[in-house]
Amino acid sequence: DFRKTTNLADAQAEAKARIDRAAGEARERYITTVSGQELTYSNKLEDAEAYIAIHPGGDLADYPWVEAEAEARGITGIAAANIIKNTGDAWKPLGVAIEKNRMKGKVAVDAATTVDDVISERHSAITILEAI
C-alpha cells in the first residue's frame, strides 16, 4: 500500500509531479505544447498587438508574425492580427486558472502533514485541473 511504504517527503514530491503533469495535460487541451511553441505564441501576440495599435498604417512586413499568419490564411493583416489577439485573449483566463490551481495544489501538498493528506490534496488538485 502506497500510504504505508512512502514517507511524507516522497509522497509530496510525487504528488507535485503528478499535479504538474495534470496542469500540462490541461494546457494541451487548449494550446500546442511542442518545443518552441510558447515563444511562437508570445511573439505572434506581441506582433499582433503592435500591429493593431498602429493600424491602419505601418508596413505589414514590419510585423512578420502577422504577415505570416495573413499569408497562411489568405486574409488581410488586420484580420490576422485580430485572430491572433482574440486567440490570446481567450487563452489568458484558461492559462491563469490552470496555473493558479497548479500552484494551489502544490502549496496544499507541501502543507500536508501526513501521506493521507498529501494524497487527498493531490486528488483535489488534479480533479480541479481535469475540469478546466
Side-chain angles (χ1 to χ4, degrees):
D1 181 286
F2 179 80
R3 288 173 177 85
K4 293 178 183 171
T5 60
T6 302
N7 66 42
L8 181 61
D10 289 346
Q12 288 169 319
E14 183 271 341
K16 291 189 289 186
R18 288 181 66 182
I19 290 168
D20 283 342
R21 281 194 303 275
E25 291 165 2
R27 289 183 192 104
E28 288 174 349
R29 289 192 290 274
Y30 300 99
I31 62 173
T32 305
T33 59
V34 297
S35 180
Q37 193 63 44
E38 288 179 44
L39 182 58
T40 297
Y41 286 149
S42 294
N43 286 329
K44 285 174 72 172
L45 184 57
E46 181 180 321
D47 221 27
E49 288 173 337
Y51 185 72
I52 290 167
I54 61 95
H55 186 78
D59 185 357
L60 189 57
D62 293 333
Y63 304 89
W65 293 99
V66 173
E67 183 177 42
E69 188 83 11
E71 287 180 20
R73 292 178 178 267
I75 58 178
T76 66
I78 194 63
N82 283 323
I83 288 170
I84 294 166
K85 173 103 173 51
N86 292 340
T87 301
D89 289 348
W91 161 247
K92 188 173 185 175
L94 293 167
V96 168
I98 291 166
E99 181 61 8
K100 176 183 81 174
N101 286 292
R102 183 185 78 86
M103 289 306 302
K104 277 179 74 173
K106 291 174 78 168
V107 167
V109 162
D110 278 338
T113 58
T114 68
V115 172
D116 284 340
D117 289 346
V118 168
I119 292 167
S120 177
E121 295 297 349
R122 177 194 73 201
H123 177 74
S124 295
I126 290 172
T127 298
I128 292 167
L129 289 166
E130 287 174 343
I132 295 175

